[in-house]
Structures are given as structure tokens and as C-alpha cells.
Amino acid sequence: MTGRAMDPLPAAAVGAAAEKEADPQAADLPTPQAVEPQVIVQRAPAPSRMQMPQGNPLLLSHSLQELLARDTVQVELIPEKKGLFLKHVEYEVSSQRFKSSVYRRYNDFVVFQEMLLHKFPYRMVPALPPKRMLGADREFIEARRRALKRFVNLVARHPLFSEDVVLKLFLSFSGSDVQNKLKESAQCVGDEFMNCKLATRAKDFLPADIQAQFAISRELIRNIYNSFHKLRDRAERIASRAIDNAADLLIFGKELSAIGSDTTPLPSWAALNSSTWGSLKQALKGLSVEFALLADKAAQQGKQEENDVVEKLNLFLDLLQSYKDLCERHEKGVLHKHQRALHKYSLMKRQMMSAAVQNREPESVEQLESRIVEQENAIQTMELRNYFSLYCLHQETQLIHVYLPLTSHILRAFVNSQIQGHKEMSKVWNDLRPKLSCLFAGPHSALTPPRSPPQSPPEDGLCPH
């Protein structure tokens, strides 16, 4: 049955047959709630009477700038509220597009994601960071805040999600029962397949070699994900080294200050050099200011690379991971159910043939015929869903490629951070260099180290003027 072209079902038949899909234990996708047939007929008239849209609706026409301009959502921690047993972490979620600011807890994000999966099972719904009940330290809470911010921004910039009522409710509803509001908005609506006018015609827009293209695209994006994962790990280490460098510079300066602040009296046999030691201590004590400034510059560079480089890499990785999850849902969900429905249909056909050979009662034969017709409708619906899933996958693949220029943003942020960081630190190092002359000053010129010849600079790179 899958090898021949099939006449698309009317939308009402699609809705009725969708309730008779294969064994629910094999389903990996959220099952949409039942929709009244008359409602479906009003929303989606029979495909034979449907006007075809201009152009190919399969193709996306969005640019990265357009997607990024849809909205910018901030997710910030608010002071913890202590419950009877646990501390509750809340977030202030602010949307630039809706000019709203609402308070949300982690479970609100969970329900929000569930409703997205319910309505858009064939789209890239990003994953949420894990929930950690006990022992959530500051580092974990901050990492989760960043992940929630990436999640909601990817959703708010998705061409379909950004226009859905679920997103608007999540970003702008200020009541205390936001979870119930989100669930109510998805009740009696069904998923995208049931509401999209082109769902039963998706096959008409797909290329003949869609399965081969899907396999190639999946492999390409898997390779991109692996490479960007390594880039993210290296960027994290670079940023972490900058922060560690800041801590080392600060300690280095403090130790110099400790030497300069040492009040231990000199022994009598060292009295001849007491003035030299005093000058040296005074010079070392003053260097701690410059090293503290160097530490501050290094810390700023590390934080900037975390925010502008690592976070953007994580954002792109979250998007790529959502594509990988979508591919798995396609294979384990609708495609698997389609195969099970075909297997069930073949078993029924064999039973029908066996009943005809054994000359069973007409009633039992009629029941088998009725079941076979129902199974044929279910198979046809699953085949339509399979093509619609591939249709959505084709569009989501394009969306991944729309986001690919984000690479240039990331590289530009990385290069600018390195240039700015080294430029600022170089200025401090240059300001520090003249102060080193005090380290060699003394009451007698003999204590001043001889000037090195021009052709052989000192090994430490410092010019002892």
C-alpha cells in the first residue's frame, strides 16, 4: 500500500481515522485529544475544494536577522522563597516583544514544553535542562537559568511557535494558574496535522527522493553537532583559563604586597643593606595595584567569552539537539506506528482469506471486512502523517541552515574578546613596566644592574632602567 499514490482523505475522515491509529504502546508522540468532527470540517474543508497556495509552502523565506528580531527574552533569578521543606527557585521572564514581565517556576517551563510537543510533535521543540530536587548549588542553578533562557528564546523565535497562543500565554499571563491556562489553550485543538490545511497534501510538495535527502541531512547535521560540541568545549576551557588567570594574577599581586608589608626587623649583620631592602619592599608593595587591575581585566575577558561565545555555541547546540530529537521522534513515532498498522492490516487480510476458505458465517465475515476498512483508514491516515512529518522535517532542516550564519557572530565575538582583552591587559603591563625601575634603585649606583647590550636583551624581557 505504501508503494502507490493514495487519494487524500477528507479532513473529517482523517480526524476520525486518527483515533483508530495503531497500538498506543508503540507510540512515542503525544496523542492529541479528540476533536469533534464538525469542528474539523469547519476548520479544514475537503482537500478537493481547497485552494492551493501560491508558490511552494515547503520553502522558508526567513533570515537569521529576522528570527533574532522576533523577540529577546530575559530569564533572571529572583530571591529564593523558602517552602516548608525545600527552597523554591523562581525566575523573572521578560519579553521584549510583548513588553511583559512574569514570574515562572521550573514546572511552568515543563508544562509549556509539554503543550508545545502536544501541538507541534513534528517540529523542533528544544529540550529543558534537568530538574535537580536536592543539593542544587549556585553553579547548578545558574547553569539551569542559562539553559532556560536559551530554551525560551529558541521557542520565541521559531516561525510557528512565535505565533501560537501557548507562547503568548507563557510570556504574558500574570495569573497564578499559568499551568492550567496553558493546558486549557491546548484542549480540543489537536496537533498541527489536524489543523494544517496542507497536511493531507504534504506529499505533493516533497521531492521524490525525500528519504535519501532526509538521511543525508541528518548525517550532515550530526557531523555539525559533533564539531560544534568540540568547539564549545574548547571555548569553555579558554574562558575558564582566563578566569583562572585572573585568580592567579590577583594572588601573585597579593604575595608581592605581603613581601612589601613584612615588618620583620632586619638582623644586625644585614644592616648595610637596610636601605636597599626598605626601597625594595616599598616598590613591591605598590605593584599589587597593577596586578589587581590585571586580574580584573582577565576576569572580564573570561566572563565576556562565557556570555558572548560559549552561550551562543550552547544556543546553537540546543537547536541542533532538538533536530536530532525530532528525527528520533519521526522514526520511533509516526513511522513506527505506520509500520505496525501495515503489519496489523496484513494479519487481518490473512484472517479474511482464511474465513472465506472455511465458509464461516456471514456475520463474522462482515465484522472482519469492517475491521479491515477501519484499518485501511488508519493506515492511510498514518501514511499522510508520515508525509506530513517529512514535510515538517524538511522545513526544520531549512531552519537549521538559517541559523548556520550564527557561526560568524560567534567567531566575531571570540576575536573581539581576544583583541579587547589583550589590548587592555597590554596597556596595564606597559604602565607597570616603568615602576619596575624602583626595584633596582638604591643608595649606591653599584647596586644598579648593568645595562645589557642591545643585541642580547635580558632573559626576563624587562628593561632595568
Side-chain angles (χ1 to χ4, degrees):
M1 178 169 291
T2 58
R4 60 182 179 86
M6 303 183 62
D7 297 328
L9 289 175
V14 171
E19 298 177 1
K20 298 181 177 62
E21 293 177 1
D23 188 0
Q25 293 181 353
D28 222 27
L29 297 174
T31 303
Q33 300 182 10
V35 183
E36 294 296 330
Q38 63 269 22
V39 177
I40 298 179
V41 172
Q42 294 172 1
R43 289 187 177 181
S48 59
R49 300 193 303 270
M50 187 184 304
Q51 293 183 355
M52 295 301 296
Q54 298 294 326
N56 189 349
L58 184 66
L59 303 178
L60 296 180
S61 59
H62 305 284
S63 66
L64 178 61
Q65 289 73 20
E66 292 172 347
L67 294 181
L68 297 179
R70 283 178 180 263
D71 200 358
T72 298
V73 184
Q74 300 296 334
V75 178
E76 301 296 340
L77 284 168
I78 62 175
E80 296 178 352
K81 294 183 178 180
K82 294 184 179 180
L84 188 60
F85 300 104
L86 297 172
K87 293 180 179 179
H88 300 303
V89 179
E90 281 192 305
Y91 306 91
E92 183 179 6
V93 182
S94 305
S95 167
Q96 201 174 73
R97 174 187 175 189
F98 295 105
K99 297 179 174 57
S100 59
S101 181
V102 294
Y103 295 121
R104 296 288 181 259
R105 292 179 56 185
Y106 178 81
N107 289 337
D108 299 332
F109 283 88
V110 172
V111 174
F112 177 45
Q113 188 210 33
E114 288 174 353
M115 295 304 101
L116 288 173
L117 282 169
H118 172 83
K119 297 184 73 173
F120 302 99
Y122 309 124
R123 300 290 179 177
M124 293 188 299
V125 179
L128 286 173
K131 182 175 183 179
R132 189 172 174 180
M133 295 297 296
L134 298 174
D137 53 16
R138 290 181 179 273
E139 185 177 352
F140 171 82
I141 292 174
E142 172 60 18
R144 189 171 66 177
R145 181 198 68 81
R146 289 174 177 262
L148 291 174
K149 179 181 176 182
R150 297 194 301 268
F151 164 82
V152 73
N153 274 286
L154 285 174
V155 171
R157 294 164 179 170
H158 191 283
L160 283 179
F161 304 159
S162 61
E163 303 302 326
D164 194 77
V165 65
V166 173
L167 174 72
K168 184 176 181 180
L169 279 172
F170 183 80
L171 292 179
S172 61
F173 180 73
S174 58
S176 58
D177 56 343
V178 63
Q179 295 185 22
N180 290 330
K181 284 291 183 182
L182 290 171
K183 292 176 182 178
E184 288 173 3
S185 69
Q187 285 180 352
C188 300
V189 173
D191 63 6
E192 185 185 359
F193 175 77
M194 290 176 144
N195 294 286
C196 179
K197 293 182 179 181
L198 297 176
T200 57
R201 305 296 299 272
K203 182 181 178 181
D204 299 339
F205 304 104
L206 294 173
D209 59 342
I210 180 62
Q211 294 291 352
Q213 289 193 24
F214 167 59
I216 295 173
S217 295
R218 189 177 184 182
E219 181 65 22
L220 172 63
I221 291 176
R222 182 188 293 115
N223 295 337
I224 293 174
Y225 176 87
N226 292 336
S227 295
F228 271 83
H229 196 280
K230 294 176 182 178
L231 288 174
R232 192 277 314 274
D233 290 347
R234 297 300 106 178
E236 278 185 338
R237 292 185 61 178
I238 292 172
S240 178
R241 279 200 298 269
I243 295 174
D244 291 343
N245 186 34
D248 291 339
L249 286 168
L250 188 62
I251 294 174
F252 194 92
K254 286 181 178 179
E255 290 303 319
L256 291 177
S257 180
I259 295 174
S261 302
D262 190 355
T263 57
T264 305
L266 286 173
S268 57
W269 55 268
L272 291 177
N273 294 325
S274 60
S275 59
T276 302
W277 175 236
S279 302
L280 184 62
K281 287 203 304 179
Q282 188 66 27
L284 292 175
K285 186 177 181 180
L287 295 180
S288 62
V289 176
E290 278 73 21
F291 276 94
L293 187 57
L294 286 168
D296 182 62
K297 298 296 183 184
Q300 288 180 12
Q301 180 180 349
K303 291 296 182 183
Q304 184 177 358
E305 288 172 357
E306 280 185 348
N307 295 328
D308 296 344
V309 181
V310 177
E311 271 305 292
K312 286 180 180 177
L313 285 168
N314 279 326
L315 179 77
F316 192 47
L317 283 173
D318 289 349
L319 182 70
L320 294 173
Q321 182 62 52
S322 68
Y323 182 86
K324 293 172 65 179
D325 295 341
L326 175 60
C327 293
E328 291 184 7
R329 286 203 303 274
H330 170 74
E331 290 187 339
K332 295 180 180 179
V334 62
L335 187 60
H336 182 63
K337 289 198 294 183
H338 187 200
Q339 293 170 348
R340 286 179 63 87
L342 286 173
H343 178 68
K344 188 176 180 180
Y345 176 76
S346 65
L347 291 178
M348 287 183 177
K349 291 291 287 185
R350 284 198 293 268
Q351 291 176 4
M352 182 68 180
M353 294 175 63
S354 176
V357 171
Q358 297 176 9
N359 294 322
R360 290 187 183 178
E361 297 180 1
E363 292 183 359
S364 62
V365 175
E366 288 179 1
Q367 290 177 355
L368 274 174
E369 288 179 345
S370 176
R371 289 176 58 195
I372 288 174
V373 170
E374 290 179 356
Q375 189 64 15
E376 285 178 344
N377 290 336
I379 290 172
Q380 190 170 14
T381 301
M382 289 311 306
E383 184 161 352
L384 292 174
R385 278 188 174 271
N386 181 42
Y387 282 120
F388 183 68
S389 178
L390 289 170
Y391 173 93
C392 295
L393 263 169
H394 197 296
Q395 288 189 329
E396 299 301 277
T397 303
Q398 295 177 64
L399 195 59
I400 291 288
H401 287 271
V402 171
Y403 266 96
L404 276 175
L406 190 65
T407 307
S408 63
H409 293 237
I410 296 170
L411 290 175
R412 183 164 58 247
F414 178 65
V415 171
N416 289 341
S417 173
Q418 291 290 320
I419 292 174
Q420 186 66 22
H422 285 83
K423 180 180 179 181
E424 292 181 357
M425 292 190 70
S426 176
K427 183 179 184 306
V428 179
W429 283 117
N430 285 325
D431 293 342
L432 174 63
R433 189 172 182 178
K435 296 185 178 182
L436 299 181
S437 60
C438 299
L439 296 177
F440 307 106
H444 307 289
S445 60
L447 295 176
T448 303
R451 184 187 301 271
S452 301
Q455 64 273 17
S456 56
E459 294 181 1
D460 58 2
L462 301 179
C463 185
H465 291 169

